């Protein structure tokens, strides 16, 4: 199958984003090992806020600085990479660097994907981008693990690796991306008032609202189950290989007609993984099983969520306003759930917190399927009627 030119131009940057994203797991492990759950939750809150601030600054200054999607994607790698290399690597600085990376690269990615691809192209693109994300994520994790094994578990060497990769990749891999109009902000509040946007709120919460909680729980479970960062790296690499193999054998099976089926299967696998994470409070070895199952289903769920996210952005209003409105609402939902969970952390023991949080994540994954399949079925009915 021939890959469209726009997709070929964008995929190298998507692969780099997947590689750098694996740094988040190592940051969480280092913070939990050196501090406690409160420090991890503070980092997560700072990271999510930095992501939103980076997005708002980029879209506000976009017309003045001529920040096309291509330039924004490149900056999203280079600036955070320099922060990682040159900062003191405290939890606050890593929250700013990694949050900036998330905010800038994802806001650029949404802008480019919505500008370059039609709805009919989204499923094949999601399969290709998901496969590359997994493959390059495995490569980056394996490289970081080898560095840790040879450097007596020194996290600074991992930061050096990811910082250099981010800067060099940002300079080299974004050049072929097609030019678009600069990002901007006009009337995002008007988008938020739309009934179609309000109807997306339950899906936004279930898909991303518990993002911060999931990050904190995964790091807490890893530190409890594994003795060192290099062991964490080996487990993550092995688990990711399972996801890569599953993606390879199903790479040609996604299309518009089976979106709901893929969402259901991936939600079942990921929801089961969260239950294993909770059970690891009593049997820490189950963290490995959680990692494998999450890695097996995660790429498929991410691909389904990618198509869902693009569907939710198919509403009235300027594209940049739709993206900014979505990011602002996601930040509010994520921070609300994180703060509530933070309050819960003060009342429960660590094992109880792990169990309670994992049950919340498993339930949210099940509800995501219930709501997401409705979106896909409505889209299929609309296409059938139009045909």
């Amino acid at each position: 199958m021939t890959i469209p030119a726009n997709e070929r131009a964008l995929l190298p940057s998507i692969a780099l984003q997947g590689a750098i994203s694996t740094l988040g797991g190592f940051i969480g492990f280092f913070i939990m090992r050196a501090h406690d759950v409160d420090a991890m939750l503070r980092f997560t809150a700072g990271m999510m806020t930095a992501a939103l601030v980076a997005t708002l600054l980029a879209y506000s200054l976009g017309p003045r600085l001529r920040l096309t999607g291509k330039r924004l994607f490149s900056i999203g790698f280079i600036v955070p990479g320099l922060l990682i290399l040159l900062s003191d690597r405290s939890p606050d600085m890593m929250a700013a660097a990694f949050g900036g990376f998330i905010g800038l690269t994802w806001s650029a990615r949404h802008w480019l994907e919505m500008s370059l691809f039609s709805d009919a192209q989204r499923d094949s693109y999601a399969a290709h981008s998901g496969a590359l994300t997994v493959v390059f994520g495995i490569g980056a994790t394996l490289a970081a693990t080898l560095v840790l094994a040879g450097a007596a578990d020194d996290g600074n060497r991992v930061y050096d690796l990811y910082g250099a990769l981010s800067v060099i990749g940002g300079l080299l891999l974004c050049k072929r991306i097609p030019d678009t109009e600069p990002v901007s902000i006009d009337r995002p509040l008007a988008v938020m008032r739309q009934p179609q946007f309000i109807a997306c709120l339950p899906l936004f919460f279930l898909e991303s609202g518990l993002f911060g909680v999931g990050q904190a729980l995964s790091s807490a479970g890893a530190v409890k189950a594994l003795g060192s960062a290099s062991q964490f790296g080996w487990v993550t690499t092995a688990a990711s290989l399972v996801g890569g193999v599953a993606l390879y054998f199903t790479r040609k099976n996604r299309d518009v007609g089976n979106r709901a089926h893929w969402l259901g299967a991936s939600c079942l696998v990921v929801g089961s993984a969260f239950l294993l994470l909770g059970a690891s409070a009593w049997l820490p070895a189950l963290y490995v099983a959680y990692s494998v199952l999450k890695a097996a289903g995660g790429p498929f769920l991410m691909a389904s969520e990618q198509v869902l996210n693009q569907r939710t952005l198919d509403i009235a209003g300027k594209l940049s306003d739709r993206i900014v409105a979505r990011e602002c609402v996601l930040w509010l939902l994520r921070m609300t759930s994180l703060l509530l969970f933070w309050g819960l952390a003060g009342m429960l023991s660590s094992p109880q917190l792990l169990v309670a949080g994992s049950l919340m994540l498993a339930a949210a994954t099940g509800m995501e399927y219930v709501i997401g399949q409705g979106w896909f079925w409505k889209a299929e009915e609309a296409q059938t009627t139009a045909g």
Side-chain angles (χ1 to χ4, degrees):
M1 183 178 67
T2 303
I3 298 178
N6 285 344
E7 189 173 326
R8 287 200 309 272
L10 184 57
L11 284 175
S13 298
I14 302 300
L16 177 63
Q17 186 189 36
I20 304 301
S21 293
T22 59
L23 173 60
F26 287 104
I27 296 174
F29 190 96
F30 295 144
I31 291 175
M32 280 298 300
R33 183 177 64 179
H35 303 284
D36 55 16
V37 172
D38 279 347
M40 183 62 201
L41 294 173
R42 281 195 300 272
F43 162 79
T44 305
M47 175 192 68
M48 293 190 300
T49 301
L52 178 65
V53 171
T55 299
L56 293 176
L57 282 175
Y59 275 63
S60 297
L61 299 175
R64 184 180 303 175
L65 301 180
R66 296 292 299 169
L67 291 180
T68 62
K70 172 181 177 178
R71 290 180 180 174
L72 184 56
F73 220 162
S74 181
I75 291 170
F77 293 114
I78 295 171
V79 173
L82 290 174
L83 274 177
I84 293 170
L85 289 172
L86 301 176
S87 73
D88 62 3
R89 293 161 181 181
S90 65
D92 289 341
M93 287 306 302
M94 295 312 298
F98 196 66
F101 158 75
I102 291 173
L104 294 174
T105 59
W106 272 105
S107 60
R109 178 171 173 173
H110 288 318
W111 176 257
L112 289 164
E113 289 173 343
M114 293 296 294
S115 300
L116 299 177
F117 305 121
S118 66
D119 184 54
Q121 296 174 309
R122 290 172 181 170
D123 293 277
S124 61
Y125 166 73
H128 297 153
S129 62
L132 280 177
T133 295
V134 169
V135 170
F136 279 80
I138 291 171
T141 303
L142 179 58
T145 303
L146 292 172
V147 167
L148 284 166
D153 239 30
D154 184 359
N156 284 314
R157 303 292 77 79
V158 171
Y159 293 144
D160 290 340
L161 171 68
Y162 277 98
L165 178 63
S166 189
V167 172
I168 295 170
L171 289 171
L172 299 179
L173 295 183
C174 300
K175 293 180 178 179
R176 295 175 54 212
I177 297 175
D179 276 320
T180 60
E181 290 295 315
V183 297
S184 60
I185 295 179
D186 187 16
R187 300 178 61 209
L189 292 178
V191 172
M192 294 181 190
R193 289 193 290 267
Q194 288 188 55
Q196 297 94 327
F197 184 85
I198 295 172
C200 299
L201 294 181
L203 183 62
F204 286 164
F205 175 74
L206 294 170
E207 182 241 310
S208 291
L210 295 172
F211 169 77
V213 175
Q215 291 280 96
L217 284 177
S218 182
S219 298
V223 171
K224 181 178 177 62
L226 305 172
S228 67
S230 58
Q231 287 183 351
F232 168 75
W234 288 121
V235 169
T236 303
T237 300
S240 299
L241 282 171
V242 175
V245 170
L247 275 174
Y248 176 79
F249 284 109
T250 59
R251 65 192 184 281
K252 297 181 180 179
N253 295 343
R254 290 192 73 97
D255 58 47
V256 175
N258 60 20
R259 287 173 172 174
H261 300 299
W262 278 110
L263 176 64
S266 58
C267 282
L268 177 62
V269 174
V270 172
S272 300
F274 285 133
L275 294 178
L276 288 175
L277 177 61
S280 72
W282 294 284
L283 187 60
L286 286 178
Y287 180 84
V288 177
Y290 152 75
S291 298
V292 171
L293 208 56
K294 178 74 159 45
F300 298 98
L301 181 57
M302 185 173 67
S304 294
E305 289 175 342
Q306 183 172 321
V307 177
L308 271 174
N309 287 333
Q310 291 163 352
R311 291 291 304 173
T312 60
L313 288 171
D314 287 336
I315 59 178
K318 193 175 177 181
L319 174 58
S320 55
D321 288 338
R322 286 178 268 155
I323 293 173
V324 169
R326 178 181 177 276
E327 293 305 314
C328 288
V329 168
L330 285 182
W331 176 84
L332 181 61
L333 293 174
R334 290 168 176 172
M335 287 298 294
T336 300
S337 65
L338 185 69
L339 291 174
L340 291 173
F341 185 74
W342 205 335
L344 194 64
M347 297 184 287
L348 300 178
S349 66
S350 294
Q352 290 172 334
L353 189 66
L354 188 60
V355 172
S358 298
L359 289 174
M360 288 169 49
L361 292 170
T365 304
M367 288 301 299
E368 182 180 353
Y369 167 67
V370 172
I371 295 178
Q373 72 169 344
W375 278 79
F376 285 148
W377 285 344
K378 287 178 184 177
E380 290 178 25
E381 291 175 0
Q383 288 182 343
T384 302
T385 303

